[in-house]
Amino acid sequence: AWFLNGPNANLYGLDAKGTYGRESWPQLRERCIAVAEAHGLDLQMRQTNDEGELITWIQQARSEAEGLLINAAGLSYTS
């Protein structure tokens, strides 16, 4: 399974005001992978600030991934 994350997900946990939460991208990534492994799943976590790269990954997932989760992040309100 793939978990794709869009623009600004790399900023999670970095803003003192908590705008992007308290957990950093590396922390979130490791936690998600650990939960997936506990359920016998191989999870690829990817993050990009490039809309075109995200679209390419979505198209790749059609033939390479058993499942797909998308957190559009910044794209959810700009595209």
Side-chain angles (χ1 to χ4, degrees):
W2 291 7
F3 186 174
L4 307 181
N5 293 267
N8 298 333
N10 59 306
L11 299 176
Y12 292 167
L14 299 179
D15 188 321
K17 295 178 184 177
T19 303
Y20 294 103
R22 300 195 192 292
E23 194 169 32
S24 71
W25 168 252
Q27 291 170 322
L28 176 65
R29 182 182 180 282
E30 292 306 313
R31 186 165 59 92
C32 289
I33 290 171
V35 169
E37 287 176 352
H39 289 89
L41 300 171
D42 178 30
L43 182 65
Q44 284 192 37
M45 293 277 294
R46 298 181 181 190
Q47 189 278 323
T48 184
N49 291 319
D50 183 327
E51 186 174 8
E53 185 170 34
L54 187 62
I55 291 167
T56 296
W57 289 344
I58 291 167
Q59 292 177 359
Q60 281 181 310
R62 293 185 62 185
S63 61
E64 298 178 26
E66 293 181 13
L68 178 63
L69 296 167
I70 301 172
N71 167 21
L75 295 175
S76 62
Y77 57 87
T78 62
S79 293

